């Protein structure tokens, strides 16, 4: 989950005695961005405008390669990939994003926390997972054939009132782990999940009716560095105790009303 507290949340649930039934969500920031750009939900730009208004400036707008580009306006697969690369959302080798290598390793980390890693490997997960594009891609020149195949999948979803999303899942009871391309209803949380953000849902015995959801951006140096620092401080406090592990906070924090 990069900068998101996905592992921390999972450990807290397990340590509290809760039992995980299912985990699913959007866990690849590159695929989150690309699929949102080629298959946005209707009126997506209205959500951004609403957040700008209600947050009184706290919301700075969706991630974008330019001020004039609105991510809620659908674009070609070729342009979406170029934008994702320009924004630094792709692996150094973008093929790892499209062949599900990176995402399969993320799922393997969650599986290990759940004790499901004895008889499965990242390669096993990768082999049974669906890909947006089956062909090898030359990212400097995406062919018209690949573009047409991707747009056909987008149109098939749109005709059903859906958008296309890559959803990772772990079904604990069935022991099934994988990634699927899913036609998601336009109003579902996976459909409106902002571009480049992750969205992970925990279905547990306590969270029976509605899942516990962790959502937000997880890419970027600042976010990742903050998450690593928080993890380090957490380990320090567990070793030396809260009394001696107190950390001074910025003065602005002390001025917040209680």
């Amino acid at each position: 989950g990069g900068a998101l507290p996905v592992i921390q949340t999972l450990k807290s649930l397990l340590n509290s005695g809760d039992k995980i039934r299912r985990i699913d969500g959007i866990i690849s920031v590159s695929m989150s961005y690309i699929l949102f750009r080629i298959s946005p939900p209707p009126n997506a730009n209205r959500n951004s405008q609403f957040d700008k208004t209600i947050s009184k400036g706290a919301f700075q707008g969706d991630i974008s390669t330019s001020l004039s580009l609105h991510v809620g306006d659908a674009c070609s697969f070729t342009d979406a990939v170029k934008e994702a690369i320009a924004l630094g959302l792709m692996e150094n080798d973008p093929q790892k994003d499209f062949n599900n290598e990176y995402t399969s390793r993320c799922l393997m980390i969650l599986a290990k926390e759940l004790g499901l890693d004895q008889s499965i490997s990242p390669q096993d997960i990768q082999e049974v997972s669906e890909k947006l594009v089956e062909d090898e891609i030359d990212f400097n020149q995406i062919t018209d054939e690949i573009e047409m195949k991707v747009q056909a999948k987008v149109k098939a979803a749109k005709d059903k009132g859906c958008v296309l999303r890559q959803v990772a899942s772990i079904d604990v009871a069935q022991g099934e782990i994988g990634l699927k391309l899913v036609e998601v209803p336009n109003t579902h949380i996976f459909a409106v999940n902002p571009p480049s953000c992750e969205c992970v849902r925990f279905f547990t015995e306590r969270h029976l009716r509605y899942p516990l959801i962790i959502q937000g951006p997880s890419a970027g140096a600042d976010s990742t560095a903050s998450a690593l620092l928080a993890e380090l401080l957490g380990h320090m406090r567990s070793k030396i105790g809260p009394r001696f592990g107190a950390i001074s906070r910025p003065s602005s924090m002390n001025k917040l009303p209680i």
Side-chain angles (χ1 to χ4, degrees):
L4 293 184
V6 175
I7 298 297
Q8 179 183 343
T9 300
L10 176 56
K11 287 182 176 179
S12 295
L13 289 169
L14 294 173
N15 290 338
S16 69
D18 203 351
K19 292 185 178 180
I20 309 297
R21 297 183 295 125
R22 176 183 173 86
I23 300 174
D24 65 18
I26 296 172
I27 63 174
S28 166
V29 294
S30 57
M31 295 306 293
S32 169
Y33 183 86
I34 290 170
L35 288 172
F36 191 99
R37 290 290 286 121
I38 65 175
S39 186
N43 302 315
N45 290 325
R46 291 182 62 187
N47 294 337
S48 297
Q49 189 57 51
F50 173 78
D51 282 332
K52 286 180 180 179
T53 302
I54 198 171
S55 69
K56 298 180 179 180
F59 177 70
Q60 298 297 307
D62 289 311
I63 187 171
S64 177
T65 54
S66 72
L67 294 176
S68 60
L69 186 148
H70 299 288
V71 295
D73 298 332
C75 73
S76 68
F77 175 60
T78 301
D79 287 343
V81 172
K82 289 179 180 178
E83 291 172 13
I85 293 174
L87 290 167
L89 301 176
M90 308 287 287
E91 292 290 302
N92 291 332
D93 177 7
Q95 196 64 50
K96 292 182 178 180
D97 289 290
F98 286 101
N99 66 15
N100 296 330
E101 178 181 336
Y102 170 78
T103 317
S104 295
R105 293 183 182 277
C106 292
L107 277 174
M108 192 66 201
I109 293 173
L110 293 173
K112 186 175 182 180
E113 293 292 333
L114 292 167
L116 301 175
D117 59 319
Q118 292 87 351
S119 59
I120 196 169
S121 69
Q123 291 73 28
D124 295 327
I125 299 173
Q126 190 176 352
E127 287 175 4
V128 300
S129 295
E130 295 182 21
K131 301 175 184 177
L132 176 62
V133 179
E134 295 293 339
D135 312 275
E136 289 288 325
I137 301 177
D138 179 358
F139 296 97
N140 295 315
Q141 186 63 49
I142 295 176
T143 65
D144 291 340
E145 181 182 5
I146 290 177
E147 181 73 48
M148 290 176 62
K149 287 181 179 179
V150 172
Q151 291 301 332
K153 294 178 181 179
V154 172
K155 184 179 183 303
K158 187 175 183 180
D159 289 344
K160 300 174 185 176
C162 298
V163 296
L164 199 63
R165 295 291 182 265
Q166 183 193 64
V167 178
S169 65
I170 299 177
D171 189 310
V172 177
Q174 300 296 325
E176 296 177 351
I177 307 173
L179 294 125
K180 291 185 178 181
L181 284 174
V182 181
E183 295 175 342
V184 179
N186 287 332
T187 55
H188 192 273
I189 190 171
F190 290 162
V192 299
N193 182 59
S196 82
C197 286
E198 294 185 8
C199 179
V200 181
R201 305 191 302 172
F202 295 89
F203 294 85
T204 76
E205 285 196 352
R206 291 176 187 158
H207 298 279
L208 190 61
R209 189 176 300 277
Y210 299 112
L212 174 65
I213 299 174
I214 305 294
Q215 183 182 35
S218 67
D222 290 345
S223 297
T224 304
S226 296
L228 290 173
L229 178 59
E231 184 74 12
L232 176 61
L233 293 176
H235 283 299
M236 288 175 59
R237 290 192 181 99
S238 67
K239 297 295 183 182
I240 62 179
R243 179 179 178 183
F244 299 101
I247 304 296
S248 61
R249 289 175 169 76
S251 57
S252 60
M253 295 295 292
N254 298 326
K255 297 177 181 178
L256 292 176
I258 298 177

